[in-house]
Amino acid sequence: MTKYLLSIDYNPGVIESPMEEWKPEDVKAHMDYYGALIQDLIDRGEHVDGIALTSPDVAKVVTAGAGAPVVTDGPFAEFKEMLAGFQIVDVDSEDRAVEIAVALSRVPGPGGVPQEQPVSVRRIMTDADFELLVPGQ
């Protein structure tokens, strides 16, 4: 089995309205979809971990060197580039990781319309990967 990080940013996909403007039943359908998908991954033994993050407008950026650390509001990159959440799955193949990413991308938005939100699929490196980077280690 191989672990993959499936990450979702604040890119809205085809749904432009923020969730704060959705009808309560649309928010519930959205969250219920995620809940059912995660439960299915747990039942299959593929779910490792997952997190939803607070909005970037309440994030802090910490920079530390030899002196006192600097803490600022932010980050101030494009909002749609900020991480919204992620899932870590342990699956038999990259194809299965992509299949799960497809299901994540289809999360419903207002009126049940699939959000088509981009999902990044990245294999999590193992000790063997680092051995390739630093021969003899």
Side-chain angles (χ1 to χ4, degrees):
M1 301 270 283
T2 305
K3 291 181 182 158
Y4 288 86
L5 172 70
L6 309 178
S7 60
I8 301 167
D9 58 26
Y10 281 93
N11 183 325
V14 298
I15 307 297
E16 290 295 328
S17 61
M19 192 178 284
E20 295 80 25
E21 295 176 5
W22 296 5
K23 295 178 183 173
E25 60 268 23
D26 289 330
V27 174
K28 182 175 181 345
H30 180 89
M31 300 311 291
D32 288 350
Y33 178 94
Y34 272 129
L37 177 58
I38 299 311
Q39 188 58 56
D40 181 58
L41 295 174
I42 290 168
D43 294 346
R44 292 170 172 260
E46 296 174 323
H47 187 261
V48 175
D49 202 357
I51 293 285
L53 301 171
T54 58
S55 165
D57 63 337
V58 296
K60 301 289 182 217
V61 175
V62 177
T63 306
V70 176
V71 180
T72 59
D73 291 335
F76 298 106
E78 288 287 327
F79 186 72
K80 67 182 180 182
E81 296 171 354
M82 298 280 83
L83 185 65
F86 65 87
Q87 297 297 318
I88 297 175
V89 296
D90 195 0
V91 294
D92 289 327
S93 67
E94 184 177 87
D95 288 343
R96 176 63 181 140
V98 168
E99 185 178 302
I100 296 166
V102 167
L104 288 168
S105 181
R106 288 184 175 150
V107 65
V113 174
Q115 232 177 316
E116 296 181 38
Q117 193 172 23
V119 177
S120 263
V121 177
R122 296 180 65 186
R123 185 176 59 80
I124 295 174
M125 294 176 73
T126 65
D127 290 343
D129 293 303
F130 290 104
E131 289 169 9
L132 292 173
L133 293 173
V134 184
Q137 294 294 319

